[in-house]
Amino acid sequence: MPELLTLDRLSAGYAEATVLHGISLSLAEGQSLALLGRNGMGKTTLVNSVIGVTRRLGGTVRLDGRDITALRPDQRAAAGIGWVPQERNIFRSLSVEENLTAVARPGPWTPSKVFDLFPRLRERRRNLGNRLSGGEQQMLAVGRALVLNPRLILLDEPLEGLAPIIVEELLRSIARVVRDEGMSAIIVEQNPRLILPITHRAVVLDRGSMVDEGTSEELLADRRRLDRWLAMAADRDSLRV
């Protein structure tokens, strides 16, 4: 498969702080990547560097062969990168439906298709964003990214702080997007047992450097390899998609 995203020796951070150190990785068209690591190891900074909201200190970012290193975040979005940050970034004063139609671009992902993916949102289509639960806001944030019809979607800890039943529901929906629909994705998650079953490949970050990578299947099968770098969230290990 042709490479969609390529990071070459990317170093980045904020102000005077360097967080990422020479990251090189690639993601093929239609592939999904689990980005793993403990808190503070650079996962969010890597995602933020792909969308362009960090201070780049070296290296390049290429999308479908095009060097986008110098592009602003809005230009990267227009080039085909969808982003769901931890803050969710929904319009709280607009209805669910307005949140989707306000940003929708032509393509296969329409507000109607998002409602099929998240039936809860269809039921609440006239509710304002600030009247939704945390889980519903996360679904809406994912939906807003999808109706942009991106080539690549970045999900920064989409399961964080959600009730187990919502985690399970959201995981099924993300699995449909990346596995059944073939959307290229980078998904940040601390718990490998949740995200590895629905992704193709995985990278582990430690102190801003890549310390392990491989297929999701082989990492999931090697508990010792995971335990070397990751703190396991045992209370969520039983969830599967």
Side-chain angles (χ1 to χ4, degrees):
M1 290 182 288
E3 290 183 355
L4 177 62
L5 178 73
T6 304
L7 309 183
D8 184 22
R9 294 170 293 178
L10 182 65
S11 296
Y14 307 95
E16 300 304 313
T18 301
V19 180
L20 299 181
H21 307 279
I23 300 292
S24 293
L25 63 83
S26 61
L27 184 69
E29 184 90 46
Q31 274 195 337
S32 53
L33 177 74
L35 191 57
L36 306 172
R38 293 185 292 267
N39 276 335
M41 293 298 131
K43 303 186 303 297
T44 291
T45 300
L46 193 152
V47 166
N48 288 351
S49 297
V50 173
I51 197 63
V53 295
T54 59
R55 178 171 175 257
R56 186 182 63 88
L57 303 169
T60 59
V61 181
R62 304 184 74 87
L63 184 70
D64 201 18
R66 175 191 177 192
D67 190 339
I68 63 169
T69 308
L71 297 188
R72 301 187 308 266
D74 62 303
Q75 294 172 320
R76 297 189 191 202
I81 299 178
W83 180 39
V84 183
Q86 289 176 316
E87 298 80 10
R88 296 171 185 158
N89 286 4
I90 65 169
F91 295 130
R92 296 177 181 273
S93 61
L94 297 183
S95 71
V96 168
E97 190 163 28
E98 289 168 340
N99 261 277
L100 297 173
T101 58
V103 298
R105 294 177 181 165
W109 282 100
T110 63
S112 179
K113 188 170 180 178
V114 169
F115 289 148
D116 290 340
L117 182 68
F118 297 119
R120 285 172 180 261
L121 295 185
R122 187 189 300 278
E123 296 169 4
R124 293 158 177 76
R125 63 193 302 165
R126 302 194 187 283
N127 287 28
L128 297 183
N130 61 8
R131 302 299 298 271
L132 302 178
S133 69
E136 291 161 355
Q137 288 183 6
Q138 187 64 280
M139 293 174 189
L140 180 56
V142 173
R144 279 169 50 82
L146 288 173
V147 297
L148 290 170
N149 283 286
R151 302 281 305 281
L152 168 69
I153 190 168
L154 311 173
L155 303 175
D156 192 358
E157 299 210 33
L159 311 177
E160 184 180 28
L162 303 181
I165 190 171
I166 301 299
V167 167
E168 195 167 3
E169 184 177 342
L170 195 55
L171 272 173
R172 283 197 299 268
S173 298
I174 294 173
R176 173 180 161 187
V177 170
V178 300
R179 286 287 192 175
D180 300 340
E181 302 284 344
M183 173 73 73
S184 300
I186 297 178
I187 307 172
V188 175
E189 173 56 38
Q190 290 187 55
N191 191 328
R193 302 282 166 184
L194 291 176
I195 208 64
L196 289 177
I198 69 170
T199 52
H200 297 98
R201 295 176 50 232
V203 163
V204 182
L205 294 186
D206 189 73
R207 297 188 177 99
S209 297
M210 283 176 53
V211 293
D212 205 346
E213 63 178 316
T215 69
S216 296
E217 185 177 9
E218 67 188 22
L219 280 173
L220 188 61
D222 193 342
R223 179 66 178 257
R224 192 172 299 176
R225 187 173 167 187
L226 288 175
D227 284 351
R228 182 180 181 189
W229 302 112
L230 304 173
M232 307 303 291
D235 59 329
R236 291 163 71 190
D237 275 355
S238 61
L239 285 175
R240 292 290 184 273
V241 175

